[in-house]
Amino acid sequence: MCIYITLNYLFLTVCLCVHVFFFFSVPTVPQQVSLSPNLETQQLTLSWLGGESTTFDIMILRTELNETTVSVTADKISGQHQWNWTSVEPLECTSLSVQIRSRDGQTTSDWSDTHILPGMDLPSNKDSQMFPQDRVVSVGTNTTFCCIVEEGLGFGSIRYRDLVMNVTRLSRRSYAMTQINQGPSGVTGTNVFCSSDEKTLLNGAVVFVGYPPLPSDLVCETHDLVSAVCQWNRGRDTHLYGKKRKTYYTLNGRDCTEANQNQKWSACSLAQWDGNFTLVARNLLGQYSLTDSSELSLRVRPVAPANLTSVVRAWNATLLWQWKHRGYDSLALICQVELTSHWHTTTRTFSGVGLRSVIVLDLRPDEDYSIKVRCGVQQNFWNWGDWSGPLAFRTSIDIPDAPDVWMWIERDNTGRLMWKVSIIIYYYYSIVVIIIIVLFVSRNRQRLNWFDLKKKKKKYKRLFKSKLTAYMDGGFPLSWQSDANASCGYVVEWHDASCQQDCAVEWIKVAAENTNISAQSENFQPGVRYTLSLYSCSSEVPQLLQRWEGYMEELVPSSSVPHLSSNQQDSNIKLSWGEIPLVSRRGFLLGYHIYLNNGSQLMLLANVSDPTSRSYTVKGLPVGSYKFTVKAYTSAGEDTGATVSISLESYSRFLFNLVIVKCYNILFSIVARVKKAFYPDIPEPKLAGDWSRTQGPLDVKPSPHSMVHIVEEPEWDSSKEALVVIPEEDEDEDETGDEPVDTDEPTSLRYYNQVIDDRPIRPRFPDSSASSASSLDSARTDVTYTGIQTSGNSLGGYRPQMQPGSLSQDMGLPAPQAFSEPQPTKGASFGGYQPQCSWHLDSPVEAEESGGLAPSLGSPTSVASTQFLLPDSGSKEQPEGKGQGSSSATTWFHNLLSSAKP
Amino acid sequence: MPNVNLSNHLIQTHLLISSWSYNRKKESLSPDLTVADGRLVTVPPPSSQLDTRDKLWRLHSALLQCRSLLERAITKEEEELGGAEKGDYQSQRKTVRDRLSLLLANTGELLKATDGTAVLTPSLEGLEIDGPTILFEVKLWIYRIFKELDYWTKTAITTLQGLPSVTAKERGRTTAVRRRRSTRR
């Protein structure tokens, strides 16, 4: 083998010789040499008959310049020898001459005749030309262009775009240049310009530099449950455009002419779903295949709902649409409704078989909405379908329902009208005017009259004993018997049982067919007793049907029994205490535990399981000092306890002390009667304003802040029974014996357990003891006893009638054994005070005489009391024997004082 | 006389004139290279002997050929070169076509007003309407069409600017002839 290189003035020429030695005979000259050019590929195919030779020298010369180009061996094929040669330059650039000879070792035949492939630079082609034309090549390849200058003109330059290139002269008129590593073309290709030496454009060529197709993400789905629609990503830009160079696609062999060339995603359809799909993408630079396979049921993507319409109302709208494929009728669909209003978008989801209408709730009246819908299949959800076109509508103007109204009668006969207003906040543009119409048709007593209602409430009180209800599952479960009069259902109302004024009342209206509900409120608090009332609704005044009481959660009492006192009776010790205020009970009282307090520990003496008990007698104790602790308890446990001390004396000394006390009391009453007869109380001035008692249960003065004032019409006959405020005394009289005993009854604080004299209530200053000084000598001084339990501090001018514990001290009785722990609280210092025993102290002088002590033994000059209270003669724990004497003396004393009542 | 607003024509033709330079820039044809003129529009040679009607007819015929060439160029460009390009060039090309049509309509109205008869559609026979097949020659062909458009738009401006005085003279001449004829009668 030999390689020799010749360098001519412009061209680098390579000559290769391959020698194969067989024998030393002279090879024959190749015959029938033919040239077959492929201008597109710039390939020249040589064929010849070479006899027995297997080695040939081939010489390809650029004819005009007579240059040796290449000499190589060729293979024998069926006696016909053929060899392909690819030219760097386009074959048209200049003429080529070809000669072939056989070689046998160092021996060669003569060259064959010269065969010429004529170029386009022959003198007969006088026009300027450029090659190659409209070539499509891959990015990064090298391309050689040649320019054949028009006959008679001088060559100037070749420009690739606007870049002047280095050129090689191929022939007299032909010049070539090579652009290496070409970048991608623009849409219309890359221009190559050939110009004359006078800078006149001679000719040019366009080359398209791009990529073969590289699509991805082939996915096929069905919209109509029959056909297939396949989508794919076209992938990178091929930079090849135009009818001849663009990418063509076939899907399962079918041409996808509808595939959009200008979008990133292309789609193609097949009339029938075929589980396997093959996409082939082709352009002039290559092809690429993608496959996808799936069952039809897994690839259902519904079309966009068509013909969207709406039936609009104030608070909701019905949307209707149509499906253009019948197969959807039995297709379980899930649809999204996108709702836009005021640039705020929400999405609601609905589902159903063949869904084609939905009701969109919770719209706002008189509001603009834009709505659109899309759907997917419920089973084997694949993808959401396309959104429907938007549908705009405006909701109707709404006339709101009558507000949910309830009325509450305060203790001062003030009616409080309440309503629920939650729904009207949704009106943005509508002006909402709430017109309150309060009907008081007092001419017709059969109609609404709140005095009637109050009165009926009181009567119902006698008829209904509250049931207890236990809180569970987030509410108080209530059930009742159906009431025939409840034509428009029921109302269940509840409030804090201990509330006195401006109570937070909640209610719920119940349909007539329901006879049970769970009263629920986020305002329920543990340790608070709630009263729940059931009213029937009819055209008449609501009728109270049932009442319940309950705690959301029972707690231990927050305060111990008030006014715990001890009293020696014979050789026994009687412990007495007051009622724990309702608000402090924090649970249903179950009873009291009586402990003997040894200072360091408590020893349970008794369990008083009757929560109404107010006393307990400890028997059989020897003489000595004792300390007792009483603790009330609920289901949650017992309170911290109240403690009292006593020194038990011998029985003879006790009797002596008792006689002294009785005598003193008699003397006291005589003085009082004399004062009443000769120095009546001077009435206190009447003052404007609210001078109600601190916890007076009945305040008939209307509140200036009431929301609704009951206005009596002039025609109203105040003498009518229905409009008369029933004096509580009357009611109390009615209650005697009829009232169910229920000391835990909260409404008793409102309507009962109150005694009001039938005279006008006088305004009182809080420190009436001072202001009433002038009444010292007045025979009209009133003392009103209401039976209200108040603390010692709030008593003002009132003084208890009996203070046994204090009495013992004032009377100079032997002091009990000193206790290590402090005495009971100040309130407890009124030890013997009982609700029934308050006096209205009108004489500060006497208060001073009493040494300012709360348990005053001062002598009011006038006493009015409907319940005079002395030691309970009816106490079950009263000793049988000696108690008799005490009882008879008390009865006499009681009768004496009762006669003093004006 | 139809309501022909010359200033509108001037504005419209400006775009027609600039279109070829836009095309040249788009194809990276260096400004220092000269492209040999190749006339595509065939009309009778201009002459001072031509009356207003003939000038208008010549202009109208040339613009009509320009529109035919432009329509064909757009089609060929879409087929051979474009398809994906939806940019400024396409929108400007459409605007050029629309304004050319308007210019044609106006010159047609002028011709009808001057001649008083229906405008005869000039024959497009002999027009190289198919264009070349080699893409570089297609580009050159399109470029030359824009150049023709440039030339005939300028000609239209010149013709239309001289039109009022010419038509006035023509009207005056016609009136004088009629007056003489009526005097003879």
Side-chain angles (χ1 to χ4, degrees), chain A residues 4 95 97 110 113 157 227 283 355 505-506 648 792-793 864 898:
Chain A
Y4 53 94
S95 298
S97 59
D110 292 333
D113 295 336
S157 66
S227 65
N283 69 7
L355 198 63
V505 179
E506 295 183 70
L648 185 62
N793 287 337
S898 297

Side-chain angles (χ1 to χ4, degrees), chain A residues 188 191 199 201 243 245, chain B residues 27 34 79-80 134 139:
Chain A
T188 59
N191 296 325
K199 293 195 174 180
L201 181 65
K243 189 170 60 179
R245 292 169 300 278
Chain B
E27 295 297 341
T34 305
E79 289 176 357
E80 301 291 341
I134 296 174
K139 288 182 177 182

Side-chain angles (χ1 to χ4, degrees), chain B:
Chain B
M1 191 71 184
N3 182 19
V4 178
N5 189 330
L6 293 179
S7 61
N8 275 349
H9 279 301
L10 295 175
I11 295 170
Q12 291 168 6
T13 51
H14 174 74
L15 182 63
L16 303 182
I17 294 168
S18 63
S19 58
W20 70 269
S21 60
Y22 183 88
N23 178 270
R24 181 176 183 133
K25 186 177 180 182
K26 182 171 77 76
E27 295 297 341
S28 307
L29 183 56
S30 179
D32 63 340
L33 290 181
T34 305
V35 179
D37 284 341
R39 305 316 302 261
L40 300 174
V41 173
T42 306
V43 290
S47 169
S48 58
Q49 302 300 316
L50 295 177
D51 61 9
T52 301
R53 178 189 166 283
D54 291 338
K55 286 180 181 174
L56 275 176
W57 188 90
R58 182 173 177 270
L59 173 64
H60 186 71
S61 174
L63 291 174
L64 199 63
Q65 292 181 59
C66 283
R67 188 176 67 173
S68 296
L69 289 167
L70 184 62
E71 295 282 358
R72 181 59 190 145
I74 290 172
T75 303
K76 203 166 185 70
E77 199 169 31
E78 289 290 323
E79 289 176 357
E80 301 291 341
L81 298 170
E85 195 175 42
K86 299 295 180 189
D88 292 342
Y89 175 70
Q90 271 68 18
S91 63
Q92 191 178 24
R93 195 175 58 185
K94 180 179 181 302
T95 306
V96 167
R97 182 174 58 181
D98 294 343
R99 292 186 180 179
L100 178 58
S101 296
L102 184 62
L103 190 57
L104 262 172
N106 286 334
T107 52
E109 289 295 320
L110 283 172
L111 193 58
K112 191 192 300 180
T114 306
D115 189 66
T117 59
V119 178
L120 295 175
T121 303
S123 171
L124 299 178
E125 194 176 345
L127 189 67
E128 294 181 20
I129 203 71
D130 288 339
T133 54
I134 296 174
L135 291 179
F136 187 83
E137 292 180 3
V138 169
K139 288 182 177 182
L140 269 184
W141 179 66
I142 293 171
Y143 174 78
R144 285 182 175 128
I145 290 174
F146 282 116
K147 289 285 284 183
E148 289 281 18
L149 200 55
D150 172 38
Y151 173 80
W152 286 108
T153 304
K154 287 175 179 172
T155 304
I157 292 171
T158 306
T159 303
L160 293 175
Q161 282 176 336
L163 199 57
S165 59
V166 172
T167 50
K169 285 180 183 177
E170 289 294 323
R171 194 178 296 127
R173 190 183 306 163
T174 306
T175 306
V177 170
R178 286 176 183 168
R179 197 174 294 151
R180 278 197 298 273
R181 287 176 183 172
S182 61
T183 306
R184 289 174 186 171
R185 289 174 187 173

